[in-house]
Amino acid sequence: MSDIKNIDMKQVWQQDKDHYVHPWTDFSTFKESGSMILADSDNVHVIDGEGRRYLDGIGGLWCVNIGYAREEMAQAIADQIMKIPYYSSFGHHTTVPAAQLSAKLAQLAPGNLNHVFYGCGGSVANDTAVRIIHFYFNQLGKKSKKKIISRIDGYHGSTYMAMSITGVKFDHIGFDIEEELVHHISCPNPYRRPKGQSLEAFCDEKIQELEDKILELGPDNVAAFFAEPIMGAGGVIVPPKGYHKRSLDVCHKYGVLYVSDEVVTAFGRLGHMFASDDEFDIVPDMITCAKGLTSGYLPLGATIMSDDIYDVISVPQADGALFTHGYTYSGHPVSCAAAIKNIEIMEREQLCEHVMDMGAYFEAQVKSLEDLPIVGEVRGRKFMMCIENVANKESKELINPDAAVGNRIADHCQARGLIVRPLAHMNVLSPPLTLSKENVDFLVKTLRDSIEATTEDLKRDGYL
Ligand SMILES: Cc1ncc(COP(=O)(O)O)c(C=O)c1O
């Protein structure tokens, strides 16, 4: 751990409050409370500006998969900086890490997804997917094939296009989105299906809805369907069995490309390098990923495409014309070196196997919280879990949003040395994958205590 004692944390807090425009922030409270400073870290723990230690139940933001403060990562990053810290890969230049990482991702990705385009994160990976898909259909002479279908409560990022594809309605309040190109269908959330409906009937209905939407928009106008294998920010929604496979079949029936947004699910979170094929039995046309690709040590996102797409987009569209898509930092050598080392660590330490084992224990332990009176459902898989809190377990009625139950639980956890993420009336968990049994037990016990304390607060305040 590094020495943070010489930093004036009060000053840092003030500088942050005065000058740093935070992403995804509630300014009504930020201007009063400012931010919690995270100053140090160590494997599964983070340490605040006052030196308090917390188990990080959310891996930063679904991303610090190999755990914090790995010296090997620091060394790999430093080594690359001293070799060559940057070079553009526009045109015919490349760097050793960019080339090597591409080959490694082609090897790890399912099916014939053998070609990789890089940006700086998940939103950009999805934006890139849209640009490439449009270009692909233009190349094929199918110039009307432009529309994108995605799901309510899907989250795909916050660049203009990625936020348009995002279907979390709350996220659109006050901003604009592209409504001509993007069309949303409903969320395959089994917990909220009509009472008495079987899972099979629910799944049939969702698949029919996708097919109906393609037909309504016209197959000649629909380019792609975007879906997370398990929706993350929408509340960790695991669709019914067979949903993805059947969605992919419907897409392919109408020449619609299937993009699997694996920004959260890739690199071990569910116990596989990629979840599309290994967990959900699909080989999509594209996979977008980021986060766990470098475990958050440096920014990097990737759009991985099939041979079929690459073969079309890599043919010159006109004499002298270029494939005009790319960013200054596409294939950044230091980020790519970090990704290579990150994957090497995951493989050497058999982190996917650890997730299969410890993640299954974690899933079962978190699930045990369902006996608490305000916990309506605990759902998710392995190290990607969500607790949905309700006022009434039978009717699934929500607690008054003014009660901010997710925040209250997160605050109680924080006071007890655990960070969990509030998401409206829910709390999500996506810890580093290196969690030990002792860490899991602490996390679940602390959550239980915090939910019980919150329940008492809600009663006291008249919300229950
Ligand atoms: C499924 C999914 N896609 C895309 C994104 C956007 O990634 P980024 O924030 O790196 O742009 C996120 C971020 O949480 C995500 O969860």
Side-chain angles (χ1 to χ4, degrees):
M1 266 185 280
S2 54
D3 186 8
I4 54 166
K5 291 198 187 72
N6 300 329
I7 302 169
D8 179 347
M9 291 298 172
K10 188 115 195 54
Q11 186 188 36
V12 172
W13 181 84
Q14 194 65 48
Q15 288 167 329
D16 183 85
K17 200 159 91 75
D18 291 347
H19 301 290
Y20 180 18
V21 183
H22 282 245
W24 293 92
T25 289
D26 179 351
F27 287 111
S28 68
T29 48
F30 177 80
K31 288 183 179 170
E32 285 283 314
S33 64
S35 291
M36 171 190 190
I37 302 166
L38 281 318
D40 214 335
S41 62
D42 171 23
N43 190 14
V44 299
H45 291 97
V46 289
I47 291 127
D48 73 10
E50 313 292 314
R52 281 183 296 255
R53 204 174 158 80
Y54 305 86
L55 179 70
D56 185 12
I58 57 174
L61 193 60
W62 322 87
C63 59
V64 186
N65 291 7
I66 60 167
Y68 291 93
R70 295 251 192 182
E71 272 189 42
E72 250 187 296
M73 288 294 285
Q75 197 56 56
I77 289 166
D79 287 350
Q80 184 57 42
I81 288 173
M82 292 315 293
K83 279 190 197 119
I84 180 161
Y86 172 75
Y87 209 81
S88 147
S89 25
F90 278 41
H92 297 231
H93 292 117
T94 195
T95 59
V96 174
Q100 289 178 337
L101 178 63
S102 307
K104 184 68 190 174
L105 292 176
Q107 179 211 324
L108 294 174
N112 69 351
L113 272 70
N114 287 320
H115 306 275
V116 188
F117 188 94
Y118 297 105
C120 289
S123 309
V124 169
N126 285 323
D127 260 42
T128 287
V130 174
R131 285 208 80 212
I132 289 180
I133 287 166
H134 284 175
F135 183 67
Y136 166 82
F137 282 120
N138 288 344
Q139 286 283 76
L140 290 176
K142 299 180 178 178
K143 297 199 174 175
S144 64
K145 249 175 139 38
K146 292 286 185 289
K147 292 186 190 292
I148 308 293
I149 298 175
S150 60
R151 286 104 41 90
I152 303 284
D153 286 342
Y155 183 75
H156 299 285
S158 71
T159 53
Y160 207 102
M161 185 50 76
M163 181 50 91
S164 302
I165 299 171
T166 290
V168 185
K169 290 297 165 203
F170 176 83
D171 298 348
H172 294 161
I173 298 172
F175 281 87
D176 292 347
I177 56 165
E178 169 48 63
E179 287 172 327
E180 265 298 299
L181 281 179
V182 183
H183 299 262
H184 296 108
I185 57 174
S186 67
C187 171
N189 181 355
Y191 181 62
R192 294 281 166 195
R193 73 186 185 279
K195 212 170 176 163
Q197 189 179 42
S198 72
L199 271 177
E200 291 71 22
F202 178 67
C203 189
D204 290 347
E205 197 180 278
K206 297 296 152 194
I207 300 301
Q208 192 59 52
E209 188 187 349
L210 171 61
E211 183 156 10
D212 290 347
K213 182 56 82 177
I214 294 173
L215 292 171
E216 176 200 322
L217 298 170
D220 289 347
N221 301 321
V222 182
F225 175 60
F226 276 63
E228 299 155 85
I230 294 179
M231 284 178 181
V236 187
I237 309 298
V238 186
K241 199 167 182 324
Y243 170 88
H244 285 301
K245 180 92 182 61
R246 293 176 65 192
S247 298
L248 182 117
D249 290 344
V250 167
C251 287
H252 285 180
K253 179 172 164 193
Y254 296 105
V256 171
L257 298 175
Y258 188 109
V259 181
S260 187
D261 179 340
E262 290 227 38
V263 168
V264 169
T265 54
F267 304 104
R269 188 139 300 282
L270 303 179
H272 315 281
M273 284 301 193
F274 290 100
S276 296
D277 194 17
D278 289 342
E279 186 84 12
F280 293 99
D281 203 22
I282 58 163
V283 178
D285 300 291
M286 277 189 180
I287 289 180
T288 54
C289 58
K291 297 195 187 265
L293 174 56
T294 59
S295 284
Y297 278 69
L298 283 176
L300 186 65
T303 307
I304 312 175
M305 70 202 83
S306 66
D307 288 342
D308 308 86
I309 295 175
Y310 179 73
D311 288 349
V312 171
I313 67 158
S314 59
V315 174
Q317 73 271 35
D319 258 358
L322 302 176
F323 172 71
T324 45
H325 180 69
Y327 313 103
T328 300
Y329 298 131
S330 282
H332 194 288
V334 186
S335 297
C336 290
I340 290 170
K341 182 54 76 178
N342 175 58
I343 294 170
E344 184 195 310
I345 291 171
M346 290 189 69
E347 289 183 333
R348 192 182 64 230
E349 296 186 1
Q350 301 187 318
L351 278 184
C352 284
E353 288 78 354
H354 178 72
V355 172
M356 283 300 179
D357 183 24
M358 194 56 68
Y361 177 68
F362 180 67
E363 187 180 324
Q365 292 307 107
V366 182
K367 202 94 185 119
S368 74
L369 299 173
E370 272 185 351
D371 65 355
L372 293 168
I374 66 163
V375 175
E377 185 182 50
V378 174
R379 57 176 172 260
R381 286 202 188 152
K382 306 290 188 315
F383 281 130
M384 184 175 182
M385 300 295 295
C386 173
I387 296 149
E388 177 158 354
N389 304 293
V390 293
N392 183 316
K393 281 162 97 92
E394 188 50 36
S395 66
K396 303 177 184 177
E397 186 197 328
L398 295 180
I399 299 163
N400 183 340
D402 294 346
V405 58
N407 283 320
R408 287 184 191 235
I409 292 171
D411 288 348
H412 272 296
C413 285
Q414 194 166 311
R416 291 164 170 79
L418 169 70
I419 299 184
V420 302
R421 184 166 170 218
L423 212 64
H425 61 290
M426 301 175 275
N427 294 96
V428 293
L429 300 165
S430 55
L433 309 181
T434 50
L435 232 54
S436 66
K437 179 169 182 301
E438 189 193 350
N439 297 146
V440 171
D441 292 342
F442 169 81
L443 192 157
V444 177
K445 164 92 174 65
T446 306
L447 248 174
R448 177 174 287 278
D449 293 347
S450 301
I451 297 171
E452 282 172 349
T454 301
T455 308
E456 290 313 307
D457 294 350
L458 293 172
K459 283 183 191 158
R460 182 198 60 207
D461 297 344
Y463 288 111
L464 287 177

